[in-house]
Amino acid sequence: MSWLWGRQEVGDGSQTVTLTVTAVMGAGTEPAEAQCDSLEGRIYLDYNATTPLAPEVAQAVCDAMYQAWGNPSSSHPAGSKAKELIGSARESLAKMLGGRPEDIVFTSGGTEANNMVIHTACRHFHDSWGTGDSRGIPHIVTSSVEHDSIRLPLEQLEKEGLAEATFVPVSPRSGQAEVDDVLAAIQPNTCLVSVMLANNETGVIMFHGPRIGALYVRSPGTATPLHPMLFGGGQERSFRPGTENTPMIAGLGQAAELVNKNWEAYEAHMRDVRDYLEATLAVSTSGPFPPSQAAGCGAWSRASFGKQRIRFNSHFKGSKRLCNTCNFSILGPGLQGRRVLAHCKVLLASVGAACHSEKGDRPSPVLLSCRIPPEVAQNALRLSVGRGTTRAEVDRAVQDLKQAVEQLEQDQAP
C-alpha cells in the first residue's frame, strides 16, 4: 500500500515538493486454518513476507466471488452489487487511514502504486515547468533502505537520464533517515520526497488481507496531482483503468475493517510475543528467568543462545519500531542466515525481504546501510510474528534454531 500526501511548502515557499510515505505490505491468499494444516506442525514466523487470510477475509472474498460476480461498471443489479462492495471496501480503507473514500485508488499491489507515484511526480514536474525550464530534469529524494519498488524505478530513471535521485543514508545511531539530512538533499528541481513508513526487513504493518493494492492520495487530481500509467475504460476515475478485482477488493476492505476494530489488541499481542522471542533468544542459559517468563517456560531455558551470541540488528537507541519484527544475527563463522534456516526442521522464516530471496548469502543492503558489519549482516535472520503467534510456538522455534546451529557447528568441527 502507498500513501501519497498533499503538497507542502518547503523553505521560503518558492518551491513545492510532494511528500509521499510508503508502506509495503505482504498478504497471503490462504485461510489461516488451511495454511496451518498444510504446514504439518511447522512454526510460521515469516509474516512480513506474507500472511494467511483472516477467516473473515476469506469469507468476504468467497462471498464476493459467488454473489458479486458482475462487472462493477454495468448498470444492472449484478454490476450494482459489485460496485456496492467496492464502495464499502473503499470506505473501510479510508476510515483506517483517516482519509476520505474518494482518496482511495485501488491498484494491483504496492509496486504498481509506488510506480504510479514516481510517474506522477516526474510528469507533474514537466507539466509545471516545461521541458525547456532551467531547473532541468526532475529530482527525487528517498532513503538508502527503500523497498525495490521505489529504489529500482528511480535507478532506471537515472539510467535513462529522465530523473535524478538522492538516496539519503540512514543514521547508524537511529537506523532512520534523519529529517535534517532529507531537507539538505532537496534541490530546486526536487519534485518528490519518498520515505518508508517502516522498513520491511525491520518492521512492517500487516493486514491479514489478500494480495491487492490501494493508493491513498489526498484529493487526487485536485489538491494532489495523480497521473495514470494505464489508459482504458475509465475505472477508478480513470486513474487506474481496468475492470476492478471485486473479490480481492472486498477482502482488503474486510481486513481494514478488522484493523479498525481490533488494532490495539493486535498490536499488544504481537509486541508481547515479539518481546518474548527476543528475551528467549538472548537470555543466559545459566541465568535466572525474567519474572514474567519464569512460570511454565517448558523448553525455554534450553533454547536460548545468550547475549554474547545474539546481535539484534534493529535495536537503535531512541528509535521506535513496529511491534512484530525481530531481525537478529547468531554470531559465529559459517552461520549464514540461509544455512541456519536450511537446517531448521520446524521454523519457517526468512533472512530479509522475500524479493531478495535469489541473492544468495550476500548481506542485506538494508542492514549494510544501517552500518551493520558484513560478517554480522550475512548471518541475519528476520522472524516476524503474527496476531495468532503464541509463546509456545516461539519456544519451539528457538529450540529449532538452537539445534540447527549445533548441527552446523558439529559439521564444521575438525
Side-chain angles (χ1 to χ4, degrees):
M1 175 176 285
S2 276
W3 290 272
L4 176 57
W5 290 349
R7 290 186 282 175
Q8 300 184 14
E9 296 293 322
V10 177
D12 60 3
S14 61
Q15 180 180 2
T16 299
V17 179
T18 299
L19 302 178
T20 180
V21 181
T22 63
V24 181
M25 302 186 302
T29 58
E30 199 173 2
E33 296 88 352
Q35 188 175 53
C36 289
D37 290 344
S38 67
L39 296 181
E40 297 178 353
R42 291 197 164 192
I43 305 301
Y44 184 78
L45 296 181
D46 201 17
Y47 284 81
N48 282 12
T50 193
T51 66
L53 285 186
E56 300 93 331
V57 174
Q59 188 63 53
V61 172
C62 186
D63 289 347
M65 286 180 173
Y66 285 102
Q67 301 172 14
W69 45 264
N71 189 318
S73 298
S74 299
S75 58
H76 50 64
S80 298
K81 177 63 175 178
K83 185 176 182 179
E84 179 184 338
L85 271 182
I86 291 172
S88 177
R90 202 184 304 275
E91 290 178 1
S92 295
L93 280 167
K95 180 181 178 181
M96 183 184 68
L97 297 173
R100 303 172 302 168
E102 55 265 35
D103 296 336
I104 302 296
V105 178
F106 290 113
T107 68
S108 63
T111 294
E112 181 188 343
N114 287 340
N115 275 262
M116 187 186 297
V117 170
I118 294 171
H119 166 78
T120 290
C122 295
R123 170 75 180 274
H124 185 67
F125 175 88
H126 290 301
D127 288 351
S128 300
W129 304 110
T131 56
D133 189 84
S134 59
R135 295 174 187 256
I137 60 176
H139 172 250
I140 296 173
V141 177
T142 189
S143 80
S144 61
V145 296
E146 294 299 308
H147 188 268
D148 281 354
S149 61
I150 293 289
R151 180 179 63 85
L152 293 180
L154 294 181
E155 290 180 353
Q156 184 64 30
L157 287 172
E158 284 193 303
K159 182 179 179 180
E160 296 176 3
L162 300 176
E164 299 173 339
T166 297
F167 296 87
V168 177
V170 296
S171 165
R173 297 182 302 276
S174 67
Q176 300 171 332
E178 300 291 347
V179 173
D180 289 344
D181 294 336
V182 172
L183 292 176
I186 294 176
Q187 305 173 7
N189 59 330
T190 300
C191 63
L192 177 68
V193 175
S194 179
V195 181
M196 266 185 158
L197 175 65
N199 185 268
N200 55 303
E201 294 194 31
T202 57
V204 67
I205 298 174
M206 304 166 304
F207 290 83
H208 286 253
R211 288 191 184 101
I212 193 167
L215 174 65
Y216 169 67
V217 188
R218 183 178 297 166
S219 301
T222 54
T224 308
L226 184 64
H227 295 284
M229 298 176 64
L230 305 172
F231 297 89
Q235 292 86 355
E236 293 300 293
R237 290 152 290 165
S238 293
F239 293 123
R240 206 289 183 180
T243 301
E244 298 93 337
N245 189 340
T246 304
M248 295 298 104
I249 291 174
L252 185 60
Q254 180 61 51
E257 192 63 32
L258 291 173
V259 171
N260 290 332
K261 295 177 180 178
N262 304 300
W263 173 246
E264 290 184 357
Y266 293 163
E267 181 179 20
H269 173 77
M270 288 188 286
R271 190 181 305 279
D272 174 77
V273 175
R274 190 275 313 274
D275 290 349
Y276 178 77
L277 167 63
E278 295 187 346
T280 304
L281 286 167
V283 71
S284 172
T285 55
S286 59
F289 297 129
S292 63
Q293 291 142 4
C297 57
W300 190 77
S301 62
R302 299 190 302 275
S304 55
F305 289 90
K307 292 182 179 179
Q308 300 304 314
R309 297 213 63 183
I310 296 293
R311 158 70 186 263
F312 291 110
N313 299 319
S314 54
H315 287 192
F316 296 96
K317 187 176 181 180
S319 294
K320 295 180 179 179
R321 58 191 180 117
L322 297 183
C323 59
N324 80 307
T325 307
C326 174
N327 191 307
F328 66 98
S329 297
I330 303 171
L331 304 181
L335 298 180
Q336 293 88 347
R338 294 183 189 282
R339 296 191 67 200
V340 172
L341 290 178
H343 282 72
C344 286
K345 294 179 172 55
V346 173
L347 174 63
L348 298 175
S350 66
V351 299
C355 54
H356 295 161
S357 61
E358 302 301 322
K359 296 189 177 180
D361 288 327
R362 282 180 289 173
S364 160
V366 169
L367 297 184
L368 295 178
S369 295
C370 294
R371 311 289 176 84
I372 305 295
E375 66 275 12
V376 175
Q378 70 179 1
N379 286 18
L381 297 167
R382 183 190 67 181
L383 271 57
S384 45
V385 305
R387 68 187 199 196
T389 307
T390 66
R391 288 189 174 197
E393 289 176 324
V394 167
D395 290 338
R396 291 181 60 203
V398 178
Q399 179 69 38
D400 196 33
L401 281 171
K402 184 77 171 177
Q403 292 173 347
V405 169
E406 290 174 351
Q407 183 63 54
L408 282 169
E409 290 178 333
Q410 290 177 10
D411 293 344
Q412 296 176 124

